Amino acid sequence: MKLNKFFLLFILLIFVTNCAFLLKPAENDKEKLLSVHLKFWENIRIDGIIEANYKSFVFRKNITIKKNSSAFRVDIYDSGIFGMQPTPFISAYYDSVLTIRTPDQQINQLNRENKEEFDLSVLFKLSDLFTIKDEIIKHQKLNYEDAIITFSDDMKISEISNNTNPNKIVFHYLQNLASITFYKDEKEIINIQIDKITHPSEEINRLN
């Protein structure tokens, strides 16, 4: 009887020890996935189609989004004849201030203090998140300043929401990032279907 108890205890010890060793590679894999995904956002160009429907503002046009470590720029285009020589319809530039140029060439500026819609500053701090990787891997959700960042099982950002209002950005993936959807007051207002993603070098990625 004592031998049987010893044998069972020995088997249980081996099982528990193996489980502990099995958990480590899974966590290491998630750490690598998180590192790769955060670097994915450091310097990026996205080309696609934007569909917007907000109040009386409705359109479907081409869009280019460029982001580097300090700023990003969005250009929405009116296509010329047969898609030739596209001209900017709306341009937006963001570093610490969001500057928007509208079709009538009016320039609007929105700084962090008077923002009402989406706080975009978190997009420039994604590389800092790796310092708190253990918390992200454990919870797959992070309260970070004014934002709540949610991660998928493969450590990709799936949603960025606001702590102070119901606005959010949802990221949809197939093998790669496929679309980005913006919600205001729980209603979809913007959807960006992504055609192409490239990662130009910092030196040639001029946003101004």
Side-chain angles (χ1 to χ4, degrees):
M1 180 67 70
K2 289 183 179 179
L3 185 61
N4 287 338
K5 285 183 178 179
F6 176 79
F7 180 73
L8 289 173
L9 183 62
F10 180 71
I11 295 297
L12 181 61
L13 181 63
I14 291 176
F15 177 76
V16 171
T17 305
N18 283 341
C19 285
F21 279 115
L22 287 172
L23 286 174
K24 275 196 166 181
E27 290 178 0
N28 289 339
D29 288 344
K30 288 198 170 187
E31 184 175 316
K32 291 176 183 177
L33 289 171
L34 179 62
S35 176
V36 169
H37 184 68
L38 294 178
K39 288 178 181 177
F40 167 85
W41 287 104
E42 285 180 0
N43 200 41
I44 189 171
R45 171 177 172 145
I46 295 173
D47 293 282
I49 302 294
I50 180 172
E51 296 180 355
N53 186 350
Y54 180 51
K55 295 182 178 179
S56 59
F57 201 55
V58 180
F59 63 79
R60 175 185 167 91
K61 296 184 182 296
N62 297 321
I63 185 172
T64 297
I65 302 170
K66 299 176 184 177
K67 179 192 171 296
N68 60 24
S69 59
S70 60
F72 79 77
R73 176 178 178 130
V74 177
D75 290 299
I76 299 171
Y77 295 98
D78 265 333
S79 296
I81 300 175
F82 305 116
M84 302 290 287
Q85 296 179 333
T87 55
F89 173 68
I90 296 176
S91 293
Y93 181 86
Y94 182 89
D95 44 20
S96 59
V97 174
L98 177 62
T99 303
I100 301 174
R101 187 183 297 275
T102 58
D104 58 3
Q105 298 300 304
Q106 179 181 351
I107 297 177
N108 300 308
Q109 290 190 331
L110 185 67
N111 61 33
R112 185 173 174 81
E113 283 68 35
N114 63 15
K115 70 182 187 298
E116 295 179 356
E117 305 297 334
F118 300 93
D119 182 11
L120 303 171
S121 61
V122 68
L123 296 175
F124 304 109
K125 302 173 183 178
L126 295 179
S127 58
D128 298 338
L129 299 186
F130 197 70
T131 60
I132 46 177
K133 61 183 183 298
D134 294 338
E135 182 180 349
I136 294 172
I137 292 170
K138 182 178 180 180
H139 301 289
Q140 291 183 211
K141 183 173 284 191
L142 180 69
N143 282 283
Y144 191 77
E145 297 183 353
D146 294 330
I148 301 172
I149 307 172
T150 305
F151 293 81
S152 65
D153 290 339
D154 53 357
M155 294 293 103
K156 293 177 179 177
I157 295 172
S158 59
E159 182 178 304
I160 299 176
S161 57
N162 200 306
N163 265 325
T164 59
N165 59 53
N167 301 339
K168 64 182 179 180
I169 308 171
V170 179
F171 301 84
H172 309 273
Y173 300 87
L174 295 175
Q175 223 174 4
N176 231 325
L177 183 63
S179 66
I180 305 171
T181 307
F182 292 75
Y183 292 87
K184 178 177 171 58
D185 299 327
E186 300 182 352
K187 294 182 179 178
E188 179 181 321
I189 60 169
I190 295 173
N191 181 266
I192 300 172
Q193 295 293 324
I194 297 171
D195 295 326
K196 184 179 179 182
I197 297 175
T198 52
H199 297 275
S201 65
E202 187 79 20
E203 290 76 20
I204 65 172
N205 192 14
R206 306 299 182 187
L207 302 189
N208 286 315

